[in-house]
Amino acid sequence: VNFCSDNVTGAAPEILDAIVRDNAGPRMPYGTDDVTARVEARIAEVFERDCAVFLVATGTAANALALAVVTLPWGAVVLAAGTPPPHGVHGVQPAALSLTQATEAGTVYTPAKLAALAAAARERGLKVHMDGARFANAVAALGVAPADLSWRAGVDVLSFGASKNGALAAEAVVFFDLVQAETFAFRRKRAGHLFAKMRLLAVQMEAYLTDDLWLRLAGHANAMAERLAAGLARLPNAALVHPRESNQVFIDLPEAVISGLETAGFAFYRWGAADATQIRLVCAFDTRPEDVDGLIAEATRLSAA
Amino acid sequence: VNFCSDNVTGAAPEILDAIVRDNAGPRMPYGTDDVTARVEARIAEVFERDCAVFLVATGTAANALALAVVTLPWGAVVLAAGTPPPHGVHGVQPAALSLTQATEAGTVYTPAKLAALAAAARERGLKVHMDGARFANAVAALGVAPADLSWRAGVDVLSFGASKNGALAAEAVVFFDLVQAETFAFRRKRAGHLFAKMRLLAVQMEAYLTDDLWLRLAGHANAMAERLAAGLARLPNAALVHPRESNQVFIDLPEAVISGLETAGFAFYRWGAADATQIRLVCAFDTRPEDVDGLIAEATRLSAA
Amino acid sequence: VNFCSDNVTGAAPEILDAIVRDNAGPRMPYGTDDVTARVEARIAEVFERDCAVFLVATGTAANALALAVVTLPWGAVVLAAGTPPPHGVHGVQPAALSLTQATEAGTVYTPAKLAALAAAARERGLKVHMDGARFANAVAALGVAPADLSWRAGVDVLSFGASKNGALAAEAVVFFDLVQAETFAFRRKRAGHLFAKMRLLAVQMEAYLTDDLWLRLAGHANAMAERLAAGLARLPNAALVHPRESNQVFIDLPEAVISGLETAGFAFYRWGAADATQIRLVCAFDTRPEDVDGLIAEATRLSAA
Amino acid sequence: VNFCSDNVTGAAPEILDAIVRDNAGPRMPYGTDDVTARVEARIAEVFERDCAVFLVATGTAANALALAVVTLPWGAVVLAAGTPPPHGVHGVQPAALSLTQATEAGTVYTPAKLAALAAAARERGLKVHMDGARFANAVAALGVAPADLSWRAGVDVLSFGASKNGALAAEAVVFFDLVQAETFAFRRKRAGHLFAKMRLLAVQMEAYLTDDLWLRLAGHANAMAERLAAGLARLPNAALVHPRESNQVFIDLPEAVISGLETAGFAFYRWGAADATQIRLVCAFDTRPEDVDGLIAEATRLSAA
């Protein structure tokens, strides 16, 4: 059973079906097709406002191209709130704050926390980017509107990911400021990220956003992570490294338990320093309760031994 | 009926099936999975030698990243055989010859022609790149071994396309010189072209290369183009602009015929100068004989009118 | 005697004196000194309007950094008036027209010609850059105001050269649109072109612009070129390749005359195709009438032989 | 009196004289002149081995272009010995160690210390670059051979500065590995750092290296710094922040002393955190003993008050 990452999965059935259903018949290339247009409209609905939407296939592409728009070549991307003062032309200039939601520690920013960070950034003249590879997990966890975790909190541009939550390869770069978006189409093409058969990305994203599939998938992954965290945290000498708030569990366990789980065939990554006894367990849209329970049972057995 | 391009199509059934079949179960990310390894081995078989293989999703990415490997930042990519002499440090330095096979005119380079061009390039110290977005069409048209149209003719690195010939998004960059390939993995990741779910690209390419599917698909597209060219060339005042050698037909037709075909619902691009009466008709793996015949019949009717 | 280029010269005495006179005593670095401020004010006077001025040391730096401001990374710099139409995101976008004044053929654009070219460029949405490595020669030749050959004719940004006309290394990038200039200081530093001892560039430029030295130097070079052109054009089988309008003479001469001049120790470059019998003779601020006359005399002797 | 930096100075008399003496007569451009050739030979002598030498005008250009040669675009330049392990293609790859000699703290690396750092770098596959903007000060301070502080200690490429030690604008990039140097000429031109009138840089560097002028100038600056450090360190509540080893003095003084010196017209930079009471005093080739003594006397008076 594989808890290494939410990127070891295939597609959610609804998304795979969409790819299959769309396959017959021609569609015009490079995003001039109907599905792409519908996806753009649908994302505007989801976020309750006009926005400029660009589909790409990888999160790296989404983040790098989005950040390129809001930072000039000598601009620095700041990853935390405490930004150094620029010192004239002799150094890089802080240009954008980039926040990851849900974070790499599996925690989530509340709307209030986000708004405070974004306000601090704006005061210093920075644009605000959100790496939303796991945006769905954050929205599902907090139960708030997507707008509350993005533009209403001060986010200028969002990398809205689907690949880690049931798509095979589909990410949307969503600009809430249409003026900022103006150069994106050129950047996407220049970087080789404009798909001839854009339909492949568009149908995945359309299915993802239909009937709240994206929130159901993320909600399931979050629930599985909670089940896992609750089951493991009860063990002696077990300690959560970060609060379990989305679909990732970071936990400190006795080395014998960790090694035993590996031997038993559970796949996951060790984390932290070389001599740490921490592991990361990631749940996905397709994680089965019985696999979660199986891991807990094995860990409990190992812990008692 | 759409003759605009071979990129308006969906996937070939065998390739779609492969995506569906592979979907269950985890696979490790970023190309560390089994299918990717099998594809690399299979491409070495197809080309009858060791080579370094990297999957990407778009032809632009394949070409740009491959050319970046063989040209330094001040290197010029030469697109034809007559290369200007470098003049010291004051200008760009010819660094690579890039040939498109089949060409943008729908013609193909024979092995002998390729070898002559590549030899001329090497004499001037240039590396040789091949844009093989339609490499399958050339191989099918000439009935020679893939090796004869690549490394045996002097090609150093090939963008081996599948997206225009039955895949949804899958291209392989194939280096015949393993040393040259050394930096590619870094370049692919840096450009955001390393897929987390590489399985999506790998299963397409695996199906493409199984049981010569790629050559059957390309052979069909070529045959449909021949049927189209033969049918249209018979019309009065019709003239092929280029010899029909692969899956594209460039033809000069009376304006009334062109407009009439458009009105009748046939989709294609006008070509050449603003006042030209040329059109490009592209056949694909899934072009139906009855659609070809329908276009010919309509053109014949219009021509007679 | 060396007629190879106007860059084989040392400094004009007034400029060398300025370097020597300024040498004692400290000056604050990176362009925060008094002389730099005075130069900026003086250039505004010369061009009869507010402008943003940045000193650099080479013409390549001036041109490349100025063009970087007015073109995005996918922008094309157009070097002639007939600009190709952009085709969506798939190709580079014409972004700027760059004109060289005086031209590389030694001719000059009149204010009217410039205005027409600039207007055509603006209609297509292009910015207008002028490579003015020999701007002084053009102003001196036409006897018009510097403003008439720059912003009044529609030029947005000018590389205003001094290195070819009596300075050792000094060029000013002059933006007539202050908003466009905003990023230049960052670009200059990032490219390593911000001098710690900016005083070196500033004192050269200040002397250059004092008492119209720049126009006197250029006027002399132009006059020497006219003397040379007139003397040589009288020879049998001699023909000017371009009209002599600034400080360069392009002339077709019998091979025996060319070879004879070389043997006699005159230095210059052959021009044009490999089998052409053209040469370029460049006069500079310090070209001596007796050297011009000496070359004419020798050519006359060779021609008669 | 200005102790802000060694870049607020003009040229040393010997260097200014060389510029003046060279001025008459033509010299071929772009580094094809005799002086440049002599400088290259002289630098090989100074460093006791064959090397490839390229003149540029700023330290930023020297460092950036030199580091570009030894790092690929995804390469990281490491500024201290403890280098992080690369983690596959997902992050930047440590590529070069860059050491500043003398350091920005005014201290110097001994040959043994350098050799140890370079060896650690090489073990990890890193090239070694030295930012030698104040290399002369380090050589003069340690009294060792230039080779002992460069290639004999494992340095691959050195930015050998003159601008801070008596030149107006002259730096040499010195490659001890000729193969690594191969692309430098293209990089220098592409970046706009190839001077048409290279003679300006070359004559400065030639004078700098004649009769050990460079070591005499640096030795004087170092001695003035020692005189300053010794005089100030005696004051109550004064403490050197770093050992005084080259031409810079970093010292903590009572705020009243610092403010008093400013009021008295001494120019220098405050250093460290916003609430620190540290200053940096930089001596140069032309710092006068009476100015040093004047500052000490004023500080002593202020301290007693």
Side-chain angles (χ1 to χ4, degrees), chain A residues 76-137:
Chain A
V77 176
V78 176
L79 300 176
T83 68
H87 53 301
V89 299
H90 297 280
V92 294
Q93 307 294 309
L97 172 66
S98 181
L99 300 168
T100 302
Q101 171 81 315
T103 73
E104 293 291 340
T107 56
V108 296
Y109 293 108
T110 61
K113 176 69 179 168
L114 270 185
L117 289 170
R122 280 165 185 283
E123 250 172 54
R124 289 160 176 78
L126 309 189
K127 300 289 180 189
V128 181
H129 166 257
M130 178 169 281
D131 175 350
R134 296 187 181 98
F135 187 75
N137 300 93

Side-chain angles (χ1 to χ4, degrees), chain C residues 2 4 6-12 16 19-20 23 25-30 57-58 60-61 163-164 166-169 189 191-197 199-200 269 285, chain D residues 2 4 6-12 16 19-20 23 25-30 57-58 60-61 163-164 166-169 189 191-197 199-200 269 285:
Chain C
N2 194 313
C4 284
D6 32 13
N7 65 20
V8 303
T9 57
L16 191 65
I19 295 174
V20 172
N23 195 63
R27 288 204 183 280
M28 292 304 280
Y30 301 117
T58 72
T60 308
S163 305
K164 285 195 160 92
L168 283 168
K189 169 63 190 179
H193 284 290
L194 177 62
F195 273 52
K197 299 187 178 177
R199 61 198 286 173
L200 170 62
Y269 289 122
F285 73 92
Chain D
N2 194 314
C4 284
D6 32 14
N7 65 20
V8 302
T9 57
L16 191 65
I19 294 175
V20 173
N23 195 63
R27 288 203 182 280
M28 293 304 282
Y30 301 118
T58 72
T60 308
S163 306
K164 284 196 160 90
L168 283 168
K189 169 64 189 178
H193 284 291
L194 177 61
F195 273 52
K197 299 188 179 177
R199 60 197 287 171
L200 171 61
Y269 289 122
F285 72 93

Side-chain angles (χ1 to χ4, degrees), chain B residues 11-266:
Chain B
E14 295 88 341
I15 290 174
L16 191 65
D17 285 354
I19 294 174
V20 173
R21 269 201 322 273
D22 176 72
N23 195 64
R27 288 202 182 280
M28 292 305 281
Y30 301 117
T32 58
D33 62 285
D34 295 347
V35 197
T36 300
R38 289 201 307 261
V39 164
E40 291 168 0
R42 178 69 186 119
I43 287 182
E45 259 178 42
V46 167
F47 285 93
E48 306 173 45
R49 65 170 284 170
D50 272 358
C51 46
V53 173
F54 302 90
L55 298 177
V56 294
T58 73
T60 307
N63 289 336
L65 292 172
L67 286 167
V69 169
V70 291
T71 53
L72 284 161
W74 51 90
V77 176
V78 176
L79 300 176
T83 67
H87 54 302
V89 299
H90 297 280
V92 293
Q93 308 294 309
L97 173 67
S98 181
L99 300 168
T100 302
Q101 171 82 312
T103 74
E104 292 291 341
T107 55
V108 297
Y109 293 108
T110 61
K113 178 69 180 168
L114 270 185
L117 289 169
R122 279 165 185 283
E123 251 171 51
R124 289 160 176 79
L126 308 189
K127 299 289 180 191
V128 181
H129 166 256
M130 177 169 281
D131 175 349
R134 296 186 182 100
F135 187 75
N137 299 95
V139 174
L142 291 161
V144 296
D148 292 334
L149 290 182
S150 54
W151 61 273
R152 273 198 207 115
V155 172
D156 293 294
V157 55
L158 168 69
S159 297
F160 179 54
S163 306
K164 285 195 160 91
N165 187 37
L168 282 168
E171 313 277 316
V173 178
V174 184
F175 286 91
F176 301 111
D177 177 340
L178 302 188
V179 172
Q180 278 179 37
E182 277 171 8
T183 65
F184 196 89
F186 295 102
R187 294 181 189 275
R188 180 173 60 176
K189 170 63 190 179
R190 181 169 176 257
H193 284 290
L194 177 62
F195 274 52
K197 298 187 179 177
M198 185 69 89
R199 60 198 286 172
L200 170 62
L201 307 186
V203 298
Q204 292 180 78
M205 191 55 85
E206 187 174 46
Y208 188 64
L209 296 175
T210 297
D211 296 337
D212 285 342
L213 175 63
W214 66 299
L215 294 175
R216 281 184 282 127
L217 296 174
H220 174 81
N222 290 353
M224 289 301 99
E226 175 52 27
R227 186 176 187 131
L228 197 50
L232 292 178
R234 280 194 305 262
L235 299 182
N237 298 316
L240 287 174
V241 179
H242 306 293
R244 196 297 310 165
E245 294 178 4
S246 61
N247 65 320
Q248 302 193 65
V249 177
F250 293 82
I251 193 161
D252 199 307
L253 290 173
E255 175 56 35
V257 176
I258 295 176
S259 315
L261 287 171
E262 288 169 338
T263 306
F266 292 97

Side-chain angles (χ1 to χ4, degrees), chain A residues 2 7-11 16 20 23 26-30 57-58 60 163 167-169 189 191-193 195 197 199-200 269, chain B residues 2 7-11 16 20 23 26-30 57-58 60 163 167-169 189 191-193 195-197 199-200 269:
Chain A
N2 194 315
N7 65 20
V8 304
T9 58
L16 191 65
V20 172
N23 195 64
R27 288 204 182 278
M28 292 304 281
Y30 302 116
T58 71
T60 308
S163 306
L168 282 168
K189 170 63 189 179
H193 284 290
F195 273 52
K197 298 188 179 177
R199 61 199 286 172
L200 171 61
Y269 289 122
Chain B
N2 195 313
N7 65 21
V8 303
T9 57
L16 191 65
V20 173
N23 195 64
R27 288 202 182 280
M28 292 305 281
Y30 301 117
T58 73
T60 307
S163 306
L168 282 168
K189 170 63 190 179
H193 284 290
F195 274 52
K197 298 187 179 177
R199 60 198 286 172
L200 170 62
Y269 289 122

Side-chain angles (χ1 to χ4, degrees), chain A residues 35-297:
Chain A
V35 196
T36 300
R38 290 200 306 262
V39 164
E40 292 167 0
R42 178 70 186 117
I43 286 182
E45 258 178 45
V46 167
F47 285 93
E48 305 173 47
R49 65 171 284 170
D50 272 357
C51 47
V53 173
F54 302 90
L55 298 177
V56 294
T58 71
T60 308
N63 288 336
L65 292 171
L67 286 167
V69 169
V70 291
T71 53
L72 284 161
W74 51 90
V77 176
V78 176
L79 300 176
T83 68
H87 53 301
V89 299
H90 297 280
V92 294
Q93 307 294 309
L97 172 66
S98 181
L99 300 168
T100 302
Q101 171 81 315
T103 73
E104 293 291 340
T107 56
V108 296
Y109 293 108
T110 61
K113 176 69 179 168
L114 270 185
L117 289 170
R122 280 165 185 283
E123 250 172 54
R124 289 160 176 78
L126 309 189
K127 300 289 180 189
V128 181
H129 166 257
M130 178 169 281
D131 175 350
R134 296 187 181 98
F135 187 75
N137 300 93
V139 174
L142 290 162
V144 296
D148 293 333
L149 290 183
S150 54
W151 63 272
R152 273 197 208 116
V155 172
D156 294 292
V157 55
L158 168 69
S159 298
F160 178 53
S163 306
K164 284 196 160 92
N165 186 37
L168 282 168
E171 313 276 316
V173 178
V174 183
F175 285 91
F176 301 110
D177 176 341
L178 302 188
V179 172
Q180 278 179 37
E182 279 171 7
T183 65
F184 197 89
F186 295 102
R187 294 182 189 274
R188 181 175 57 175
K189 170 63 189 179
R190 180 170 177 257
H193 284 290
L194 177 61
F195 273 52
K197 298 188 179 177
M198 186 69 90
R199 61 199 286 172
L200 171 61
L201 307 186
V203 297
Q204 292 181 77
M205 192 57 85
E206 187 174 45
Y208 187 64
L209 296 175
T210 297
D211 296 337
D212 285 344
L213 175 63
W214 65 298
L215 294 175
R216 281 182 283 127
L217 296 174
H220 174 81
N222 290 354
M224 289 300 101
E226 175 52 26
R227 185 176 188 132
L228 197 50
L232 292 177
R234 280 195 304 263
L235 298 183
N237 298 315
L240 287 175
V241 178
H242 306 293
R244 195 300 308 167
E245 295 177 4
S246 62
N247 66 320
Q248 302 192 64
V249 177
F250 294 81
I251 193 162
D252 199 308
L253 290 173
E255 174 57 35
V257 175
I258 296 176
S259 316
L261 287 171
E262 288 170 339
T263 305
F266 292 97
F268 49 79
Y269 289 122
R270 286 168 179 263
W271 220 248
D275 59 348
T277 51
Q278 298 178 9
I279 61 173
R280 185 185 77 159
L281 300 163
V282 188
C283 295
F285 73 92
D286 63 352
T287 299
R288 299 185 306 174
E290 54 266 39
D291 289 332
V292 168
D293 295 346
L295 188 148
I296 295 169

